[in-house]
Amino acid sequence: MAGILIALACNGAATKAADWPIYRGVNHDGISRETAWKSDWGKAGPKVMWRASVGIGYSSIVISEGRAFTMGNGGEKNGKDTEIDTVYCLDAATGRVIWKHSYPCARQPLYYEGGTLATPTVDGAFVYTLSKMGDLFCLEAASGKVKWQVQVNRDLGFELPTWSFSGSPLVVGERLILNLGSAGVALNKTTGEVIWENGKAVCGYATPVPCRIRDEECVVLGAAQAIIGVRITDGRVLWRHRFVNKHLATAADPLVRGDEVFASCAYGRGCVKIRITGGKPALIFDNQVMRNLMSCSVLFGEQIYGFDEYDLKCIDFADSKEHWSHRGFGKGSLMMSGDGRMLVMGEQGELAIVRATPEKYQLLARAQILPK
């Protein structure tokens, strides 16, 4: 989609919002703990504070220490459209560009407009970005200066999947973990040197999810053909459960609670929940109630809220029982606030606030905030 980053005033008075420095937030669950914001916009909709054009792509936005970071593809040179990725650092309050970092990168439209896919990750004084073609950068968050860079496809040999690399970088301690290859790779976040890897084969499209399962610190990966648990320290594959569709395209991050893991994908596959017992996955359910196409579901309370392809749904985490379904947002996406209000972004640029309750679909507000 054409990237127009927009900031909305949702509070009655100016307040300092909490940081959101990584994809899906610091708890990796798509839930903001903030609750002091208003959704009673009235007919005029929410007030626009600023807008910024950031190119074409599907990268989302992260916030750290008053700076907003995102990525897009586009630009002109000598009056011609160019295929160039740009990492943007903006003032989160005003939208002013603080710095930009650009480099050549193919747009590669394939059943979509093309452009960037992964989201920047901020860790302290540095921001990590990955292009769809494998350009991995460690940049100074304050200035955009390159500390180190690695081309993970050409230099390290990780094979590109059909829609190229999509998962966002994850920092755990001194390790920068990426969903690349057969079962992930970890680099030294300071130098970019490989600490461990698990083969070069085609990867999945989801972002690694850190967790502790049965006393093991691990990441759960939505790989090309399986859901995999990988130990963070040495990259050892602890368990795997086969999970595959015809396009080898699992894009939504797994949901983890305790020793249970939920995963979902589209293209006729559906969703599964497994429980890790004795170091092995045991199947709890496997059906087509939830088929996440691109966006991740959110686990809130005892329910999962997500897009079953084109339908926003609420299902039980325990047994996948469907509570309600609503069509009208297209291939939408969502996140949640701590008081159970969903921020739903529709495919045609509509923002809606929906109450997260298993009783029924409850719309609180809806407004067209981006051009169709």
Side-chain angles (χ1 to χ4, degrees):
M1 60 182 179
I4 300 176
L5 193 155
I6 185 168
L8 306 175
C10 293
N11 292 315
T15 59
K16 179 175 174 57
D19 279 355
W20 188 271
I22 57 179
Y23 179 63
R24 291 184 43 85
V26 293
N27 294 307
H28 314 281
D29 58 5
I31 302 174
S32 168
R33 298 313 185 249
E34 295 183 56
T35 59
W37 58 282
K38 294 182 178 180
S39 57
D40 51 344
W41 302 329
K43 293 182 178 180
K47 180 182 178 182
V48 176
M49 297 175 65
W50 54 263
R51 300 175 189 264
S53 179
V54 292
I56 296 171
Y58 282 71
S59 301
S60 61
I61 302 141
V62 294
I63 306 286
S64 178
E65 297 186 354
R67 305 184 189 104
F69 300 87
T70 192
M71 300 164 62
N73 184 282
E76 289 189 1
K77 186 175 182 180
N78 298 324
K80 295 182 178 180
D81 182 40
T82 58
E83 296 189 344
I84 294 174
D85 272 4
T86 298
V87 181
Y88 291 88
C89 173
L90 309 172
D91 186 301
T94 67
R96 175 181 62 86
V97 175
I98 298 173
W99 56 260
K100 297 188 294 184
H101 175 72
S102 299
Y103 52 91
C105 187
R107 189 168 300 158
Q108 282 198 327
L110 182 61
Y111 309 120
Y112 77 113
E113 298 91 334
T116 59
L117 296 174
T119 295
T121 296
V122 183
D123 179 64
F126 299 98
V127 56
Y128 300 89
T129 66
L130 177 67
S131 81
K132 68 192 308 177
M133 303 309 293
D135 306 288
L136 177 64
F137 290 95
C138 172
L139 308 168
E140 291 184 358
S143 67
K145 180 181 178 181
V146 177
K147 183 177 182 182
W148 58 260
Q149 65 186 84
V150 176
Q151 223 298 331
V152 299
N153 172 239
R154 294 192 304 270
D155 298 342
L156 300 185
F158 287 102
E159 187 176 346
L160 286 163
T162 301
W163 284 278
S164 302
F165 300 131
S166 171
S168 301
L170 170 70
V171 176
V172 181
E174 295 304 309
R175 289 164 172 75
L176 180 69
I177 301 174
L178 299 161
N179 187 2
L180 300 178
S182 308
V185 60
L187 281 64
N188 183 303
K189 72 175 185 181
T190 304
T191 65
E193 296 176 348
V194 175
I195 298 174
W196 54 256
E197 63 172 88
N198 285 308
K200 309 289 191 181
V202 166
C203 59
Y205 298 90
T207 296
V209 178
C211 57
R212 185 178 181 87
I213 300 179
R214 299 289 179 176
D215 297 323
E216 290 278 13
E217 298 290 340
C218 62
V219 290
V220 177
L221 299 175
Q225 300 187 56
I227 305 303
I228 304 175
V230 180
R231 190 158 61 195
I232 289 173
T233 53
D234 58 5
R236 178 187 173 190
V237 174
L238 301 172
W239 50 264
R240 68 174 65 231
H241 179 82
R242 181 171 171 80
F243 187 65
V244 62
N245 59 56
K246 63 182 180 180
H247 294 301
L248 307 182
T250 295
D253 296 1
L255 305 178
V256 183
R257 176 177 285 179
D259 59 1
E260 296 183 330
V261 179
F262 170 90
S264 177
C265 66
Y267 307 111
R269 181 56 183 89
C271 61
V272 299
K273 190 174 83 166
I274 56 176
R275 180 178 295 123
I276 310 304
T277 304
K280 297 180 180 180
L283 183 64
I284 306 301
F285 60 74
D286 185 340
N287 55 50
Q288 292 191 334
V289 174
M290 184 70 76
R291 298 161 297 173
N292 292 153
L293 184 62
M294 292 184 292
S295 66
C296 306
S297 291
V298 174
L299 174 58
F300 187 79
E302 300 306 315
Q303 280 73 48
I304 294 172
Y305 299 87
F307 275 91
D308 174 30
E309 295 191 341
Y310 297 91
D311 298 331
L312 178 62
K313 279 188 177 181
C314 171
I315 68 172
D316 263 353
F317 180 64
D319 58 9
S320 75
K321 176 185 176 182
E322 182 179 321
H323 290 287
W324 54 258
S325 177
H326 177 81
R327 177 164 289 200
F329 294 106
K331 293 176 286 190
S333 61
L334 66 91
M335 61 172 288
M336 191 88 67
S337 68
D339 58 359
R341 284 179 288 173
M342 286 185 277
L343 289 89
V344 180
M345 195 71 195
E347 187 177 8
Q348 298 299 316
E350 280 190 304
L351 175 66
I353 311 301
V354 178
R355 179 70 66 189
T357 173
E359 281 73 34
K360 62 180 181 179
Y361 170 79
Q362 186 179 351
L363 179 68
L364 301 178
R366 190 166 183 168
Q368 187 77 38
I369 65 167
L370 294 175
K372 294 184 179 181

